[in-house]
Structures are given as structure tokens and as C-alpha cells.
Amino acid sequence: MPGARVPVAPSVAAIQRTLARLYVGRDLQFAVDIPADHVFRGEQQDLEEMLGNLMDNACKWARGRVAATSRREDGRLTIAIEDDGPGLPAKHRGYAPAPGARFDEKVPGTGLGLAIVRDLVSLYSGSIVLGSSSLGGLRAELTLPAG
């Protein structure tokens, strides 16, 4: 829908509440730093699908901490989701968004989450970059159009 604009913070908060209930036995700590004026130029369901997949992955792998941050620059919005889990070796990061890609069968999943994120990001001419988190685990960074 042309002109759609979605504040990011309420979407992150809603996903966080859902995941806190889903992973209640894990006692995960969430650190969220998303300014109220950070807005995604696109559909709310697309934003929540991308963030939901990334935040769920972070919760699955986290030892105890998950963080969500954002910054805005030059008409682009960068949202980072990080965890303090084991991370993903650099050699696997390029293949991780492929449909069905799984590098550890110990944690439940289909291997489709990152592929869905990759496809949605491309619809918005954005990008997803996987790297190392300052928390010790994985950092997934989305760059999308800002509203």
C-alpha cells in the first residue's frame, strides 16, 4: 500500500510480549532501544513478519539476553536484533537465509524464517546482514526504508 507508515517501537513491544510468554521458562531479558519516531515505510504485517522471525530466532538461541535497537540515517532505517547465544560461524552466514537452511537440529524450527525475512526485505529494496553481536551471539541487521 503506497504511503503506509508503521512506528517500529509498538511492533517490537508486541512481539516481545508474545515471545516472553512463549519462552516463559527461559527467563530471557529483553533490552529494547527503539526511538518512538522511528517509522518503517511499508506494511505493518511485513514489518512484524520480519521482526518476529528475527526476534524468535534470537530467543531460541539466546542464553539469557536479546536486544533490539534501531537507527535512522539518509532515509533508511536500520533495525538490529542481537542475542547472547552461540552465534553463527561466518562461513554459514551467507547461506543462512536460504530456504530450509539449518545448521543445528537441536533447536526446533523449519529453516524458513530467514528466507522469509530475506524475501520481504528484497520487496522493500532493503538488506539483511548477519554478523557477530556485542552480546556474544548473532546480530541480524535489517536496513529498510524509513517513513
Side-chain angles (χ1 to χ4, degrees):
M1 181 173 8
R5 295 169 44 94
V6 182
V8 177
S11 292
V12 169
I15 294 165
Q16 176 190 341
R17 283 190 302 274
T18 299
L19 291 171
R21 287 191 301 269
L22 184 64
Y23 293 99
V24 67
R26 302 269 319 279
D27 193 33
L28 295 173
Q29 301 300 311
F30 291 88
V32 177
D33 184 12
I34 309 284
D37 65 341
H38 283 194
V39 174
F40 164 63
R41 193 173 68 236
E43 293 290 327
Q44 181 170 353
Q45 94 178 35
D46 291 344
L47 176 66
E48 291 179 355
E49 183 74 27
M50 290 183 280
L51 293 177
N53 275 304
L54 295 177
M55 291 174 70
D56 184 45
N57 281 349
C59 289
K60 284 179 186 176
W61 293 101
R63 290 186 175 97
R65 296 185 301 158
V66 174
T69 59
S70 67
R71 69 180 188 277
R72 190 175 52 202
E73 187 176 349
D74 298 328
R76 306 296 284 170
L77 182 65
T78 301
I79 305 166
I81 307 299
E82 302 181 75
D83 65 70
D84 66 347
L88 184 64
K91 66 181 181 181
H92 295 310
R93 292 180 192 153
Y95 302 104
R102 301 208 47 215
F103 302 105
D104 188 335
E105 301 290 327
K106 295 176 192 164
V107 175
T110 62
L112 296 175
L114 287 176
I116 290 167
V117 173
R118 181 203 61 207
D119 291 348
L120 285 170
V121 164
S122 71
L123 290 175
Y124 291 97
S125 300
S127 65
I128 178 170
V129 176
L130 302 178
S132 296
S133 166
S134 62
L135 299 176
L138 185 68
R139 176 183 175 93
E141 192 171 273
L142 294 175
T143 301
L144 301 163

